[in-house]
Amino acid sequence: RLTGKPIPEEYLEWQAEKWGVYSPEIGTIPEGQDMILDHFNIPYDRRYSPDLDDIVRSMSKGNDVLIGVDARVFYQDPSIPPDSGHTVALVGRGLDPVTGDLKGFYVTDSNFPGGAHFVTTEQLKASWDGLDMISVPEKLAA
């Protein structure tokens, strides 16, 4: 989205596999995520051991946030093996219109292309691995 050009996921998988940082069995390792972002000249900031406040702070600055989740918990699908990692992008916050309290996040997910869907804060906390997060600007500087 930031590049202004559609980049098929198949291309990203092919490129990362060529670099040796992706396999269909395990996905993309963190260094591979960095390599892809660098390849497309997308500025980002990776934080280790973030908390929910770090996510909210980053998003309040207009950033999208990439985080790792346990796919089994995230999709609430017991057929997925435990501790199956997956990365999703948090692209918006869901705030209560009366109180302003955080109710959840809008997520884009390569397993569900075509739009964002909402997950509650509780759903996200239950599935988030909490290891790191990548913040990327919503728009590139002109």
Side-chain angles (χ1 to χ4, degrees):
R1 184 179 74 181
L2 286 173
T3 66
K5 303 172 201 161
I7 302 169
E9 186 167 351
E10 295 79 19
Y11 171 78
L12 297 173
E13 290 172 353
W14 171 82
Q15 185 65 62
E17 192 166 17
K18 183 174 138 182
W19 289 333
V21 294
Y22 167 84
S23 74
E25 297 80 30
I26 63 164
T28 306
I29 62 174
E31 295 83 3
Q33 295 169 339
D34 294 345
M35 291 170 75
I36 289 289
L37 292 166
D38 290 340
H39 180 72
F40 288 103
N41 297 314
I42 296 172
Y44 65 95
D45 175 49
R46 183 183 289 274
R47 296 193 127 206
Y48 295 95
S49 302
D51 60 22
L52 192 62
D53 289 338
D54 291 322
I55 290 175
V56 171
R57 244 187 319 277
S58 182
M59 293 185 80
S60 69
K61 294 177 184 174
N63 295 330
D64 291 344
V65 174
L66 306 172
I67 61 166
V69 295
D70 180 332
R72 179 187 182 113
V73 178
F74 186 78
Y75 297 120
Q76 300 174 3
D77 183 347
S79 69
I80 298 173
D83 301 319
S84 293
H86 181 60
T87 298
V88 296
L90 308 179
V91 297
R93 294 174 294 155
L95 303 176
D96 183 292
V98 176
T99 66
D101 292 341
L102 179 67
K103 295 297 181 184
F105 297 90
Y106 292 92
V107 175
T108 58
D109 181 347
S110 61
N111 286 332
F112 294 96
H117 64 279
F118 184 78
V119 297
T120 67
T121 304
E122 292 75 27
Q123 289 172 303
L124 188 75
K125 284 183 189 178
S127 62
W128 181 29
D129 67 20
L131 299 176
D132 62 353
M133 69 181 224
I134 299 172
S135 296
V136 295
E138 186 178 352
K139 296 178 183 158
L140 294 176

